[in-house]
Amino acid sequence: MELTLTEAQYNLVYNSFSFVIASMGAALLFFLLVRSRVAPQHRMAITLSTLVVGIALYHYVRVFGSWEDAFSYVGGEYVQDGKPFNEGYRYVDWLLTVPLLLAELVVVLKLTKGKTRSLIVRLTIAAVAMIALGYPGEIAAADSSARTVWGVLSTIPFLYILYVLFVELGKSLERQSGSVKKLVDGLRYIILATWGIYPIAYMLPSLIDDEANAEVARQVMYSIGDVLAKPLFGLLVLGIALAKSREDGYVEPGGQPNSAAAPDDASELLEA
Ligand SMILES: *C/C=C(C)/C=C/C=C(C)/C=C/C1=C(C)CCCC1(C)C
């Protein structure tokens, strides 16, 4: 059956994609511009944020084009009679960006090399499994049980990721300084709240009877999730990297010595 959307429904999705493209583009520029304010030893997290929003920017440009190509405007309505809308762009995007986002959270903690490696390897494997298992369900018919089955399978690695973040990382968190600890703790809850949007959006076609409404709600929810989970998350990580840079007494080249810098560091810099 061909999906038919009202002008308002079609435009809501169209404008959401447009909003995401603008957000990713602005975040990309911003992360590049503020890079020098972060101490070199904390820049890896900013590099990862920059990659994430860059990859998402590219994919949203493609998603946007695919949405335009899928519909034609006939008699005041949008009829899906063009090329199939390519849901795959989202999943390819997640395959790249979700492991990078998890790595970002781990590297900003500055744990031992061995611990960092082990966390990144396990989180990456779980993230790839979660996304690969979700995809067959995403492209299955709305009313098929395949959607539920793949969704449940994909939730297993998702729960493992949450276990690592909340139970395993909890121990490492004890060793962080007060302000950083609070920020990292907040970051985990942001992940829980924003990543939780995805499985809900995924289930919408099974929950909402009206096919057009379900499709629009799903696309808009994924778009909101992506803006929160990528640019907003990147800003919070930037906050942590800046706090850590300040604690280390870092002064941006050509910048003013920071009042929070240790006196020793400041005098060293003045002598230099
Ligand atoms: C930037 C993109 C992000 C952070 C994407 C995150 C995606 C998820 C957490 C997806 C999870 C899913 C389930 C837990 C079950 C149903 C299938 C998925 C893939 C939507």
Side-chain angles (χ1 to χ4, degrees):
M1 196 189 77
E2 266 172 10
L3 185 65
T4 302
L5 302 181
T6 66
E7 241 178 87
Q9 284 174 325
Y10 176 88
N11 283 331
L12 187 57
V13 176
Y14 184 93
N15 294 332
S16 301
F17 291 164
S18 179
F19 170 76
V20 179
I21 291 174
S23 307
M24 297 296 173
L28 179 67
L29 259 181
F30 183 72
F31 293 145
L32 287 171
L33 291 171
V34 297
R35 209 183 148 72
S36 66
R37 302 186 61 169
V38 174
Q41 66 270 30
H42 301 303
R43 276 187 199 158
M44 181 50 104
I46 312 308
T47 303
L48 293 174
S49 282
T50 312
L51 288 176
V52 164
V53 293
I55 293 167
L57 171 64
Y58 162 74
H59 281 115
Y60 264 93
V61 169
R62 304 305 300 260
V63 165
F64 187 76
S66 180
W67 184 256
E68 281 189 298
D69 290 345
F71 292 87
S72 27
Y73 188 55
V74 185
E77 282 182 324
Y78 282 91
V79 183
Q80 191 174 14
D81 59 357
K83 296 184 195 158
F85 177 61
N86 188 351
E87 204 70 55
Y89 288 129
R90 263 188 209 297
Y91 278 74
V92 176
D93 180 81
W94 297 349
L95 215 47
L96 294 165
T97 55
V98 173
L100 290 174
L101 285 167
L102 290 167
E104 196 173 320
L105 176 70
V106 174
V107 299
V108 85
L109 291 174
K110 288 262 162 212
L111 308 168
T112 62
K113 267 216 170 79
K115 185 79 191 158
T116 301
R117 214 185 125 93
S118 139
L119 280 169
I120 289 181
V121 168
R122 282 180 293 136
L123 288 171
T124 300
I125 293 172
V128 169
M130 171 181 86
I131 293 151
L133 291 168
Y135 185 64
E138 186 76 86
I139 56 172
D143 53 359
S144 80
S145 57
R147 206 176 180 87
T148 313
V149 173
W150 289 110
V152 169
L153 289 176
S154 163
T155 304
I156 298 167
F158 181 53
L159 292 177
Y160 176 74
I161 293 173
L162 295 180
Y163 166 81
V164 171
L165 297 188
F166 282 87
V167 180
E168 268 200 63
L169 265 191
K171 295 170 201 152
S172 317
L173 224 85
E174 300 306 318
R175 269 177 275 125
Q176 304 286 326
S177 74
S179 64
V180 171
K181 192 171 151 182
K182 228 191 252 152
L183 286 166
V184 175
D185 194 40
L187 214 54
R188 295 189 301 177
Y189 284 98
I190 298 282
I191 290 190
L192 181 65
T194 60
W195 291 28
I197 293 175
Y198 295 85
I200 298 171
Y202 173 93
M203 284 314 290
L204 288 179
S206 315
L207 303 174
I208 301 177
D209 277 338
D210 182 276
E211 209 190 335
N213 280 336
E215 177 64 6
V216 171
R218 192 168 62 87
Q219 297 301 339
V220 171
M221 262 183 102
Y222 276 151
S223 303
I224 294 171
D226 281 339
V227 170
L228 298 177
K230 294 180 174 76
L232 184 74
F233 182 80
L235 283 177
L236 295 169
V237 168
L238 175 68
I240 295 179
L242 285 172
K244 287 198 159 205
S245 302
R246 223 173 289 131
E247 279 178 7
D248 294 353
Y250 175 71
V251 180
E252 184 186 358
Q256 294 294 316
N258 193 298
S259 56
D264 287 350
D265 295 350
S267 51
E268 256 169 45
L269 280 158
L270 287 175
E271 281 160 22

